Amino acid sequence: MPKVSRVSTSSVPRPEPAAPSRPSGPFGLPRFARRGTPEGAVPALALFAAVRLAGIVAVILTNTLRGRPPLRTLAHSWDSRWYLHIAAEGYGHKIWLTPHGAVQTDWAFFPLYPALIRALDTVLPLTPGQAALLVAWIAAAVAAYGVYVIGHLLYGRGVATALVGLWAVMPHAVELTIAYTESLFAALAIWSLYCVLKGRWLWAGALAALAGLARPSGFAMAGAVVLAAGYEAWHRRGRVPWRLWAGAVLAPLGFLGYVLWVGTRVGDLFGGYFTVQSAWDSRFDFGAGSARFVKALLLHGGGVVYTVALLVVAAGVLLFALLCLDGAPLVLVAFAGILVLLVVAGSGSFSSKPRFLLPAFPLLVPLARALARTWRVRPGQAVLVYGALTLVSLMFGAYVTAVARSPL
């Protein structure tokens, strides 16, 4: 008898995950055949953790060299102090009178993050600052895993890994690991996006509502869920489950609930919150404030922080155009687009605008696809590019957190 040679299964290349089939309409929700936990998440999350841990170490070393407490700027910078005060004392106990006479109050800050700080501080032997950092770091890890899962779902393992890696080295990514709300909001919003992509509308609406209790930009997540639900209902001619409508109703409740609560405290139900925000020079002015800033920066120059902020915002607009051309699902396009719109057409400190774009990870999809292609063809070149991006991110993160006096 002829011998039958055995072929080792380890030598047979494993097939790539099947790409999702798209509906006929543009920007529609893909129909996914594969279910279960995506493969390859551990290396991507390890990369994210290593980069962000290096960022924390860079901040600590910079503080030490400047003779400052090593962890102070991580837990007690700018808005962090307001969140810690709310966690300790509640609302209505902290105001700040600006040099221009505006009265800034703690009602401008949304309640979910300080509530979590207070809860951890109550049950664990931690200081409020340590509790705030723990919440931020856990949320950043949860958000990074969500970025990988969505990337894997839509584009496969290679692009998903590149997407997580690029998100870790955004210029302001250090603010994912300080006592700010960006990581918490990102975690809730990203998993709400995932639930929309998978058709889990009740979960999508509930997570969007929680995101609306974390940051004012929760409006973007609520808008994305509502727009995606409306498009899906229109595309399927109304033949959608009741959960879709329930999720769409749930999504804006967190944001609207807090806005109305502030209105009752101020004495103006529908306008009170916006009056509070105007004291912080935060309003939707259709880009007039941004245009004045860009003109002044071009005519008179500015510091590194403001120049980088302008470059990040300009890159965000360009990447949003590329994302639209890429034909990504509407919920991702809507989420990123609303955040870009709020950044460009809203007033306020321009140095803070890049961190408002941190949760908008879909903007990185075109770059992630390009980086994944480069890795397959020229891995050395991909490593060199990513190493340069990492170095810039670590240096700028340490500078903006521990050296610069510009608002974060």
Side-chain angles (χ1 to χ4, degrees):
M1 269 181 87
K3 292 184 178 179
V4 178
S5 61
R6 287 188 165 185
V7 178
S8 173
T9 56
S10 61
S11 64
V12 179
R14 302 183 68 177
E16 286 290 321
S21 60
R22 295 184 179 273
S24 57
F27 302 118
L29 294 180
R31 307 292 175 227
F32 299 103
R34 290 176 61 90
R35 294 182 180 273
T37 304
E39 298 176 352
V42 172
L45 294 180
L47 175 63
F48 178 86
V51 171
R52 293 302 355 125
L53 180 60
I56 293 171
V57 171
V59 172
I60 291 173
L61 290 176
T62 305
N63 279 327
T64 303
L65 291 174
R66 290 173 58 83
R68 306 169 71 179
L71 295 175
R72 183 162 186 81
T73 55
L74 291 173
H76 298 274
S77 294
W78 298 92
D79 292 357
S80 302
R81 294 191 289 265
W82 289 84
Y83 286 116
L84 293 175
H85 192 276
I86 294 169
E89 304 292 339
Y91 283 97
H93 298 286
K94 185 175 175 64
I95 63 172
W96 177 260
L97 184 64
T98 71
H100 303 291
V103 179
Q104 297 175 338
T105 67
D106 51 18
W107 290 329
F109 298 91
F110 279 53
L112 184 58
Y113 186 48
L116 292 176
I117 294 171
R118 183 168 188 139
L120 275 186
D121 184 36
T122 301
V123 301
L124 296 177
L126 300 173
T127 66
Q130 292 168 346
L133 288 176
L134 182 59
V135 172
W137 294 348
I138 292 174
V142 171
Y145 182 55
V147 170
Y148 182 85
V149 169
I150 291 177
H152 190 280
L153 199 64
L154 294 174
Y155 305 106
R157 178 175 176 175
V159 175
T161 302
L163 193 59
V164 172
L166 288 173
W167 197 53
V169 298
M170 289 181 70
H172 286 70
V174 67
E175 292 169 22
L176 291 171
T177 46
I178 66 175
Y180 265 48
T181 55
E182 266 60 41
S183 57
L184 177 61
F185 171 71
L188 295 167
I190 288 165
W191 283 99
S192 179
L193 294 172
Y194 171 77
C195 290
V196 171
L197 292 171
K198 297 290 283 185
R200 299 168 184 169
W201 293 99
L202 282 178
W203 276 107
L207 290 170
L210 288 174
L213 289 173
R215 282 197 54 76
S217 45
F219 170 82
M221 192 60 246
V225 172
V226 171
L227 285 172
Y231 181 87
E232 187 75 356
W234 173 79
H235 185 71
R236 295 171 62 177
R237 299 182 180 181
R239 294 191 293 270
V240 293
W242 65 269
R243 293 178 181 81
L244 180 143
W245 301 115
V249 170
L250 276 174
L253 292 184
F255 174 82
L256 292 177
Y258 184 70
V259 166
L260 294 177
W261 179 80
V262 172
T264 62
R265 302 296 299 269
V266 174
D268 180 0
L269 182 62
F270 297 106
Y273 169 77
F274 302 101
T275 301
V276 169
Q277 284 287 5
S278 66
W280 295 81
D281 193 28
S282 178
R283 64 179 67 86
F284 193 85
D285 63 359
F286 299 94
S290 296
R292 287 193 299 269
F293 167 81
V294 172
K295 180 181 177 181
L297 185 64
L298 295 177
L299 289 177
H300 307 293
V304 174
V305 173
Y306 292 100
T307 302
V308 171
L310 178 59
L311 293 175
V312 170
V313 172
V317 174
L318 175 60
L319 290 173
F320 176 69
L322 295 177
L323 180 69
C324 292
L325 294 175
D326 192 65
L330 175 63
V331 68
L332 299 186
V333 174
F335 175 64
I338 296 173
L339 287 178
V340 170
L341 178 64
L342 292 175
V343 165
V344 173
S347 63
S349 173
F350 208 92
S351 62
S352 299
K353 289 182 181 289
R355 72 176 170 89
F356 300 155
L357 290 176
L358 273 176
F361 80 94
L363 296 175
L364 300 174
V365 166
L367 295 180
R369 299 184 73 177
L371 184 62
R373 286 194 299 269
T374 304
W375 171 259
R376 289 195 297 268
V377 179
R378 298 183 181 90
Q381 184 177 346
V383 170
L384 183 64
V385 169
Y386 189 76
L389 291 174
T390 302
L391 183 62
V392 171
S393 176
L394 297 181
M395 293 176 62
F396 184 75
Y399 177 79
V400 75
T401 308
V403 179
R405 298 182 179 273
S406 306
L408 293 175

